[in-house]
Amino acid sequence: MSFSRWAAALLCVAAFVFPATAQSNKGTIVGTVTDPNGAVVKGAKVTATNVATNKTGEATTGES
C-alpha cells in the first residue's frame, strides 16, 4: 500500500472516529442564586427547561 493510500485510509478513519467521541448528552449549568440584596440563597429550588423539548430538570442549590 502506498503512502498516499495509507494517509487517505487514516484520514477516513479519523473522520468517523473523532466526531463520534465529541458527542455528549451531558451539560453543566453554573451560577449563583441571590436575593434582591445580593446575598447567596442556600437551598433554593432551581428548574432548567430545554426550550426545544420542553423537558425540565430540577436541582437544589448548595452552600457554594
Side-chain angles (χ1 to χ4, degrees):
M1 183 182 267
S2 68
F3 176 75
S4 60
R5 284 189 180 195
W6 177 257
L10 184 61
L11 181 62
C12 288
V13 169
F16 289 107
V17 171
F18 292 124
T21 60
Q23 303 299 316
S24 174
N25 64 348
K26 307 277 187 236
T28 303
I29 299 173
V30 179
T32 304
V33 178
T34 58
D35 66 15
N37 295 322
V40 175
V41 178
K42 299 176 187 174
K45 180 180 169 185
V46 179
T47 303
T49 304
N50 180 332
V51 295
T53 63
N54 206 32
K55 185 175 180 179
T56 61
E58 295 181 354
T60 304
T61 61
E63 293 184 14
S64 60

